[in-house]
Amino acid sequence: MNFGGTGFVLAIIALSIGGWMFTTWIRAKHGYPVENEWGGTVHRTDPDADRKIKLLTDDNAKLASQIGRLEERISVLERIATENHGQAAQLADQIDRLR
């Protein structure tokens, strides 16, 4: 094998370019920023990101209000369970108000 020949030099250049292309592909596939030709970085963009954020924000607000309502109901049930009055009519009335 001739290490000073043209074929060897071209093989080294081809392997270098191939390795660079492979690492760039892996980085882009996994969402890491990729360097462009001028040394800057190109970040992965998601065209639906704003819509997804809006949907998640709305869903979060809905779930937060639902949690608030459930906490209120639990506090009423705890109060009903811990009261020692023993009046069946009052208990039935409070349970009906929860519905």
Side-chain angles (χ1 to χ4, degrees), residues 4-69:
T6 309
F8 182 75
V9 172
L10 291 176
I12 293 293
I13 292 171
L15 285 173
S16 298
I17 292 172
W20 173 77
M21 290 173 59
F22 180 74
T23 57
T24 302
W25 174 70
I26 291 292
R27 290 177 63 85
K29 178 180 176 185
H30 293 288
Y32 291 102
V34 179
E35 292 181 1
N36 62 12
E37 305 86 40
W38 300 283
T41 56
V42 178
H43 295 279
R44 185 178 196 170
T45 57
D46 187 4
D48 295 331
D50 291 334
R51 187 178 66 81
K52 289 177 185 176
I53 290 171
K54 172 89 170 100
L55 289 173
L56 288 173
T57 303
D58 293 343
D59 194 32
N60 190 22
K62 183 181 86 174
L63 291 174
S65 67
Q66 185 178 7
I67 288 173
R69 287 192 311 270

